[in-house]
Amino acid sequence: GAAEARLITNNPLSKAQHDLAVGTLPGGNTRTLLHTSPFPLCMKQGKDAYVWDIDGHKYVDFVGELSAGLLGHSHPTIHSTLLSTFSDTGLSLGATTPHEQTFAALLCDRFRLARVRMTNSGTEANLHALAGARHFTGRRKVVVFSGGYHGAVLSFPDGKPAANTVDRQDFVVVSRYNDLSLARQVIEQTEDLAAVLVEPMQGAGGCIPGTREFLQGVRQAAREKGVVFILDEVMTSRLAPGGLGWEMGLDPDMVTLGKYLGGGLAFGAFGGREEVMKVYDPRVEGALAHSGTFNNNTLVMCAGTAVLREVYTAAVCVAFNERGEKFRERLGKVAKSSRLSVTGRGSLIGLHFTEDGTQEIGCGEDLRGKERPDLRDLFWFEMLEAGFWTTRRGFIAMILGTPDDELDRFVDALGDFLERYRDIM
Ligand code: PLP
């Protein structure tokens, strides 16, 4: 109550902006996730690892655009690449260009894909991967996991497809992520099965890593069943040089990508084994069409090329995620014996406030009925006042250039917060 009252008092311009926005956008919003009650804070600028709201507060950015903002705001390499592409190349040339081939070669090399296609979002990448797998196998059904998020129209929050999921009847949802025997049973028993679609770490589902045993077992079950194993690396490709699937030894048939790989611009991609991706080869009779006006837009092709070649190299990726591991361990240590538990991997972190502070989080179902959204909201309010922009849901995506002393300051702020409210924490 008191924290929320301070938020309202301290942010009159955000409140006014929200009142204006509801006049034209449902709920004042064009990305449902960003709505927070009583009104969202409205940002006006980002620079490096910081953002500023329209009321003039400065925050360390721990939202990291839900992982798409890995490079930080206005990274100098991306900045100069975008400017030179805009002025020297032009935006979209209504033709194939060398730029998409250059970017594709880098993506294939980095993520061990034989062929790749570009899209404008991770959602689209998954939709096309699914269409491809269905075409390749001539079958319809897809096994997914409870808590899985594969895009705006492909999400499976509590054991079933969300209301807006496309072709809902074609998805069979395994009710617990990280439960290999259950997954194996569902895969074996499902008829007309085309594909298994899984995240190597559930991102939106709470930053819950899949165990090596689970992921390898699911991969093997898909192989035995003769279905396409699609690994959704839209969120996790940042966690290891070849993606998390490579790190886990998964050898997927198809991989979907997105987020930071477009340099912070709208981007997605899907790729994989040559024989599967061949369903998209227009030289082959009966091939599937995969269209999209902006699929090969020059800004993203050139920005993405710069990301892989100059910014997020394999060495940078390893060092960045090691830094993330250390940061998460420190947060976990501070939170020990409180109601907060810390999950995640590398540079992606999940914060969970529960009744019993459970450390055993293998799937969303382990949290069900135990969550304390009141404590989570209190944390969010208090971190705002301490100058940290985090997601209301407790997801942190680190940014490459965040100074060490800001990470230290966040660890201290968390410690202060848990101490100040120790009666309820
Ligand atoms: N798949 C995963 C694992 C994601 O985390 C997301 C986005 O959060 C998507 C797919 C969808 O990507 P986009 O928001 O670019 O459509």
Side-chain angles (χ1 to χ4, degrees), residues 66 121-124 126 149-152 199 204 232 234-235 259 267:
L66 287 306
S121 70
T123 303
E124 266 185 84
N126 279 312
Y149 183 82
H150 304 286
E199 294 160 88
D232 182 342
V234 171
M235 181 88 83
K259 305 276 189 191
F267 174 68

Side-chain angles (χ1 to χ4, degrees), residues 45-204:
Q45 194 200 348
K47 179 110 183 58
D48 303 328
Y50 301 91
V51 285
W52 286 261
D53 70 22
I54 59 175
D55 283 284
H57 309 115
K58 177 185 179 182
Y59 304 93
V60 184
D61 184 359
F62 278 113
V63 171
E65 191 51 283
L66 287 306
S67 83
L70 182 157
L71 307 178
H73 305 273
S74 44
H75 188 286
T77 305
I78 304 305
H79 186 94
S80 62
T81 301
L82 291 178
L83 288 183
S84 65
T85 305
F86 183 52
S87 51
D88 304 340
T89 311
L91 291 179
S92 246
L93 308 181
T96 58
T97 69
H99 311 297
E100 68 232 41
Q101 183 275 323
T102 306
F103 185 30
L106 288 164
L107 285 169
C108 284
D109 183 52
R110 179 70 82 88
F111 298 106
R112 284 142 178 91
L113 312 170
R115 300 283 186 275
V116 70
R117 281 275 184 135
M118 271 57 130
T119 66
N120 296 287
S121 70
T123 303
E124 266 185 84
N126 279 312
L127 289 171
H128 287 296
L130 289 177
R134 285 172 171 147
H135 197 78
F136 180 70
T137 58
R139 301 191 290 263
R140 281 298 307 168
K141 298 270 194 226
V142 178
V143 165
V144 291
F145 293 83
S146 183
Y149 183 82
H150 304 286
V153 290
L154 287 169
S155 71
F156 308 91
D158 8 73
K160 53 184 189 306
N164 64 352
T165 287
V166 290
D167 300 327
R168 301 177 73 202
Q169 68 287 351
D170 289 333
F171 291 97
V172 182
V173 187
V174 179
S175 60
R176 291 176 65 87
Y177 185 69
N178 268 327
D179 187 330
L180 178 56
S181 61
L182 186 61
R184 213 181 251 142
Q185 196 184 331
V186 174
I187 292 167
E188 277 165 15
Q189 288 174 0
T190 302
E191 285 175 21
D192 196 28
L193 188 61
V196 175
L197 173 62
V198 65
E199 294 160 88
M201 173 176 83
Q202 288 197 329

